[in-house]
């Protein structure tokens, strides 16, 4: 008898409800845009009641698409973007919008805390980022005390969604450890972290910790009525999306790297050791018990969609009129150009930088002959250069080249872009059969939680299937190496010199 597992995967760009079977086959997907609200520059929020209603519709749609009943779903889990902030009041009710991982309102606070991160690095083994919950909480304490004082419970994205399904309030430890809340040595919250971020009163608002494969309640009768799910269906802890994608692609140790080209530029491997302070890398607790070593920034594929909307309005309209997507036409364009085509460098910093917190997105090298097509190709390349910067950080700690990179995220929808990643990184890249990797990683957690497989390692063997491999093209790699050297040289020259522009942009 086949078991079916349902995952809700709430990313910063799109939210998906997926159904997988116990062989790892993708059965159904229902998706909708994660509709962010930007009430001020740098604010990226989401209406949680609207999210809840759309989730219920998507769950029903995912079941209906393949004529499954809720009775056939063996278990459910949630996967979500890390960082950000989701809160309930002291009566466990929603009272403010959720805050997404692309939010950078607290950039100045993050910089101040990062200047003294050595005080806590031996506790959390994390650097400080603007979108981490403790940093946002410190900002709220100063700028929106009326909301700060109402907070009763602090959750991650996927923990909030699990609460919607079950009414139970739990915090999964991997997500919490990636949010600067956890002592990686004791695997518990540490009051010294809350003192460091100047939010000591929030320590008592943290939910109890659970593991990815722990059962954390069941579907309520109210949710069952709204979605078609069976009441009392078990719901499991779930994962930070980078954990889910790593597991779904079979990255369980330091022989392989996981690369996610999505809203965020995420690059990771699993290891028994921890990255040191001077590496500038992040550490968190991986669901297998190892540590996840992470190099990341909001410098990936999310930049592409914004530039397309800026530069290709008429082309988007024409593509739609002919029954195509703009991405179909861009795929043809990429296939017919190569590394020599664009003479421009793009820094993908629309949501933030991978080096200087005050940096903004930029094209460098514009000439009178520069075409719009060059700019678009430069955006594709600049995003991969930002990934290479992080991959090289990982390799410094790893001390060796991995055998392969397993890639996931929206960037994998373009085969020519995946080839560009292989060429620029000069490493082979493999894709797995499922295209909803967050959903597959979640399904593996459900399978283990239910006892269908004994461990996540066993679930990977049974449910992860490689479908395609891309080898670097030497002629392209040589050209990209020269471009990347220019990217790094310009990045280093600009670092520390963005202050005047940033203050002008912010009207200071």
């Amino acid at each position: 008898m086949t078991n079916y597992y349902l995952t809700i995967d709430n990313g910063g760009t799109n939210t998906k409800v997926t159904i997988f079977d116990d062989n790892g086959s993708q059965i159904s997907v229902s998706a909708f845009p994660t509709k962010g609200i930007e009430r001020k520059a740098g604010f990226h929020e989401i209406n949680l009641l609207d999210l809840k209603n759309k989730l219920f519709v998507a769950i029903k749609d995912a079941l209906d698409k393949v004529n499954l009943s809720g009775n056939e779903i063996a278990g459910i889990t949630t996967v979500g973007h890390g960082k950000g902030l989701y809160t309930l009041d002291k009566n466990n009710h929603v009272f403010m919008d959720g805050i997404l991982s692309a939010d950078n309102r607290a950039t100045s606070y993050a910089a101040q805390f990062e200047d003294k991160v050595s005080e806590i690095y031996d506790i959390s083994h994390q650097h400080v980022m603007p979108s981490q919950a403790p940093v946002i909480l410190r900002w709220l304490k100063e700028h929106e005390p009326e909301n700060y004082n109402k907070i009763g419970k602090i959750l991650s994205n996927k923990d909030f969604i699990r609460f919607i399904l079950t009414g139970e309030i739990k915090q999964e430890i991997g997500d919490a450890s990636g949010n600067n809340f956890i002592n990686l040595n004791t695997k518990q919250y540490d009051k010294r972290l809350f003192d460091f971020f100047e939010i000591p009163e929030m320590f008592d608002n943290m939910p109890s910790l659970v593991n990815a494969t722990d059962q954390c309640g069941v579907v309520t009768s109210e949710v069952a009525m709204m979605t078609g799910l069976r009441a009392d269906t078990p719901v499991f802890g779930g994962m930070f999306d980078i954990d889910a994608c790593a597991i779904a692609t079979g990255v369980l140790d330091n022989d392989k790297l996981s690369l996610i080209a999505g809203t965020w530029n995420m690059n990771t491997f699993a290891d028994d050791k921890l990255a040191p302070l001077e590496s500038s890398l992040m550490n968190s607790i991986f669901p297998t018990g190892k540590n996840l070593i992470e190099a990341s920034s909001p410098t990936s594929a999310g930049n592409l969609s914004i530039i397309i909307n800026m530069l290709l309005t008429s082309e988007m309209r024409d593509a739609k009129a002919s029954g195509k997507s703009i991405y179909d036409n861009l795929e043809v364009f990429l296939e017919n150009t190569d590394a020599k085509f664009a003479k421009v460098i793009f820094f993908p910093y629309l949501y933030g930088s991978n080096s200087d917190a005050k940096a903004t997105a930029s094209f460098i090298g514009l000439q009178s002959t520069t075409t719009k097509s060059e700019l678009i190709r430069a955006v594709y390349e600049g995003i991969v250069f930002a990934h290479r910067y992080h991959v090289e950080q990982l390799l410094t700690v790893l001390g060796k080249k991995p055998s392969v990179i397993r890639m996931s995220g929206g960037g994998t929808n373009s085969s020519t872009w995946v080839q560009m990643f292989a060429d620029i990184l000069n490493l082979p890249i493999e894709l797995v059969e499922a295209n909803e990797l967050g959903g597959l990683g979640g399904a593996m957690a459900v399978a283990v939680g239910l006892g269908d497989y004994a461990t996540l390692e066993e679930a990977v063997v049974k449910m992860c299937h490689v479908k395609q491999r891309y080898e670097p093209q030497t002629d392209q790699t040589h050209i990209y190496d020269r471009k990347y050297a220019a990217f790094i040289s310009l990045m280093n020259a600009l670092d520390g010199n963005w202050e005047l522009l940033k203050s002008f942009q912010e009207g200071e």
Side-chain angles (χ1 to χ4, degrees), residues 63-205:
L63 292 168
D64 291 345
K65 278 182 175 179
V66 289
N67 296 315
L68 282 175
S69 75
N71 290 328
E72 294 175 274
I73 300 298
I76 298 169
T77 197
T78 57
V79 166
H81 70 77
K83 306 173 180 64
L85 178 68
Y86 292 75
T87 60
L88 302 172
D89 69 13
K90 292 174 173 55
N91 295 311
N92 298 336
H93 296 144
V94 172
F95 70 97
M96 62 178 278
D97 290 339
I99 298 177
L100 297 164
S101 60
D103 194 274
N104 58 15
R105 75 186 70 186
T107 297
S108 63
Y109 287 85
Q112 292 168 24
F113 288 127
E114 178 63 19
D115 284 344
K116 53 181 182 178
V117 73
S118 59
E119 296 177 17
I120 60 161
Y121 196 83
D122 287 344
I123 302 171
S124 68
H125 296 273
Q126 290 262 305
H127 286 274
V128 181
M129 304 178 76
S131 59
Q132 286 175 330
V135 185
I136 297 171
L137 286 165
R138 181 63 187 86
W139 185 95
L140 288 173
K141 183 176 181 178
E142 183 75 22
H143 296 276
E144 295 181 7
E146 67 283 1
N147 280 330
Y148 184 82
N149 292 328
K150 289 179 183 176
I151 294 173
K153 286 290 185 291
I154 295 165
L155 299 168
S156 71
N157 168 270
K158 58 122 179 49
D159 296 321
F160 171 77
I161 292 172
R162 189 180 346 96
F163 163 74
I164 290 173
L165 299 176
T166 66
E168 301 284 337
I169 301 172
K170 308 285 185 183
Q171 175 98 242
E172 186 269 323
I173 193 168
D175 231 340
S177 69
N179 222 347
N180 238 322
F181 278 134
I182 299 291
N183 183 323
L184 260 63
N185 306 306
T186 65
K187 308 292 193 290
Q188 298 293 328
Y189 299 120
D190 194 309
K191 198 170 189 310
R192 290 173 292 177
L193 296 173
F194 294 78
D195 291 340
F196 174 81
F197 288 108
E198 301 168 11
I199 52 168
E201 52 279 342
M202 289 293 130
F203 181 76
D204 292 331
N205 293 333

Side-chain angles (χ1 to χ4, degrees), residues 187-339:
K187 308 292 193 290
Q188 298 293 328
Y189 299 120
D190 194 309
K191 198 170 189 310
R192 290 173 292 177
L193 296 173
F194 294 78
D195 291 340
F196 174 81
F197 288 108
E198 301 168 11
I199 52 168
E201 52 279 342
M202 289 293 130
F203 181 76
D204 292 331
N205 293 333
M206 302 305 297
S208 58
L209 292 166
V210 295
N211 296 313
T213 57
D214 289 346
Q215 184 174 336
C216 301
V218 297
V219 171
T220 65
S221 56
E222 175 193 2
V223 170
M225 184 173 60
M226 298 292 291
T227 61
L229 293 169
R230 184 187 81 248
D232 296 332
T233 303
V235 181
F236 296 89
M239 304 179 199
F240 185 5
D241 56 7
I242 65 170
D243 291 342
C245 288
I247 287 171
T249 54
V251 178
L252 300 177
D253 55 33
N254 63 20
D255 181 56
K256 304 178 184 72
L257 296 188
S258 168
L259 184 153
I260 307 173
T263 304
W264 271 64
N265 168 347
M266 309 294 304
N267 314 273
T268 64
F269 67 89
D271 209 322
D272 293 321
K273 66 183 179 184
L274 292 163
L277 171 63
E278 60 273 15
S279 70
S280 299
L281 301 178
M282 306 283 275
N283 300 279
S284 59
I285 298 168
F286 197 51
T288 62
K290 290 182 181 290
N291 301 303
L292 192 73
I293 315 300
E294 169 197 344
S296 64
S297 59
T299 56
S300 195
N303 282 263
L304 178 63
S305 59
I306 291 181
I307 296 295
I308 288 172
N309 287 330
M310 286 181 183
L311 298 182
L312 300 182
T313 304
S314 60
E315 289 85 350
M316 291 171 68
R317 185 172 58 246
D318 292 344
K320 186 176 181 181
S322 63
K324 294 183 177 180
S325 160
I326 186 64
Y327 293 101
D328 296 327
N329 294 339
L330 287 172
E331 191 72 2
V332 174
F333 160 68
L334 291 175
E335 289 170 357
N336 287 282
T337 57
D338 66 7

Side-chain angles (χ1 to χ4, degrees), residues 3 13 20 158 207 229 251 253 282 324 339 356 372 430 481 494:
N3 274 342
T13 303
F20 283 84
K158 58 122 179 49
L229 293 169
V251 178
D253 55 33
M282 306 283 275
K324 294 183 177 180
D356 188 321
K372 188 159 57 175
E430 291 178 344
D481 281 347
L494 288 165

